[in-house]
Amino acid sequence: MSVTEAGATIWLTGLPSAGKTTIAYELGDRLRADGHRVEVLDGDEIREFLSAGLGFSREDRHTNVQRIGFIAELLAANGVKALVPVIAPYADSREAVRKRHQSEGTAYLEVHVATPVEVCSVRDVKGLYAKQAAGEISGLTGVDDPYEAPEAPDLRIESHTQTVQESAAALFALLTERGLA
């Protein structure tokens, strides 16, 4: 099997507006240009189509992460690089996804997009921080709901100190090092 035929799940976890999705799409473009099959499993799209009806309780968040992890593993087992820019705020949920991949013999990398909440709230791509500050929403991950940062991710990206291209290049380098790019 060639490198371009090897599947893997690359899970990008981090706070809302950390840069997860932007980095995933940048990396996806680079991988596709090299002949890889790539899918980006965007958390917002998954919530709309696969996890409609789920709320934001701990149990619902866990269910959502497990559903996404199942789909990612299925894709990765079939030769796709599944890029997953999904918050997945709880360490035990992410660990369950990792263990599923390990039990199936599927490559799994956890990437922490470690952007400080102060930077994320300025970026505020979806206006969530403003809505939370105005009292319009509650349960915002990293503000008034927990976010358990990975203790030992495969890669930590500090997107606030580098460009999107540099972040994607660091992730590409990790994939190359692991024989996946």
Side-chain angles (χ1 to χ4, degrees), residues 11 46-47 51 54-70 86-100 145 148:
W11 197 292
I46 297 287
R47 270 211 174 263
S51 295
L54 289 181
F56 292 90
S57 67
R58 184 179 179 103
E59 296 78 23
D60 283 358
R61 288 177 190 260
H62 180 77
T63 298
N64 187 49
V65 167
Q66 297 317 298
R67 287 178 183 175
I68 296 168
F70 173 81
V86 173
I87 296 170
Y90 299 108
D92 60 344
S93 295
R94 294 190 307 267
E95 185 58 24
V97 171
R98 179 187 293 278
K99 285 182 176 170
R100 173 179 186 75
D145 212 50
E148 299 169 358

Side-chain angles (χ1 to χ4, degrees), residues 18 23 111-115 123 155-171:
I23 294 167
V111 178
H112 181 205
V113 182
T115 309
R123 288 179 181 172
L155 178 65
R156 190 176 318 278
I157 292 175
E158 301 203 5
S159 73
H160 59 293
T161 65
Q162 58 192 24
T163 67
V164 172
Q165 293 76 18
E166 289 168 335
S167 295
L171 190 40

Side-chain angles (χ1 to χ4, degrees), residues 52-158:
L54 289 181
F56 292 90
S57 67
R58 184 179 179 103
E59 296 78 23
D60 283 358
R61 288 177 190 260
H62 180 77
T63 298
N64 187 49
V65 167
Q66 297 317 298
R67 287 178 183 175
I68 296 168
F70 173 81
I71 298 296
E73 195 283 324
L74 191 63
L75 288 167
N78 286 283
V80 174
K81 302 293 188 307
L83 307 181
V84 187
V86 173
I87 296 170
Y90 299 108
D92 60 344
S93 295
R94 294 190 307 267
E95 185 58 24
V97 171
R98 179 187 293 278
K99 285 182 176 170
R100 173 179 186 75
H101 280 72
Q102 287 172 337
S103 72
E104 298 294 329
T106 306
Y108 177 87
L109 299 174
E110 182 178 73
V111 178
H112 181 205
V113 182
T115 309
V117 68
E118 299 79 17
V119 175
C120 294
S121 66
V122 170
R123 288 179 181 172
D124 205 8
V125 177
K126 298 173 208 154
L128 297 175
Y129 292 93
K131 288 179 182 174
Q132 191 277 337
E136 296 171 23
I137 63 169
S138 62
L140 182 59
T141 301
V143 178
D144 60 353
D145 212 50
Y147 176 72
E148 299 169 358
E151 292 182 16
D154 294 283
L155 178 65
R156 190 176 318 278
I157 292 175
E158 301 203 5

Side-chain angles (χ1 to χ4, degrees), residues 1-19:
M1 175 173 23
S2 76
V3 170
T4 56
E5 294 170 339
T9 294
I10 300 95
W11 197 292
L12 294 92
T13 179
L15 296 174
S17 296

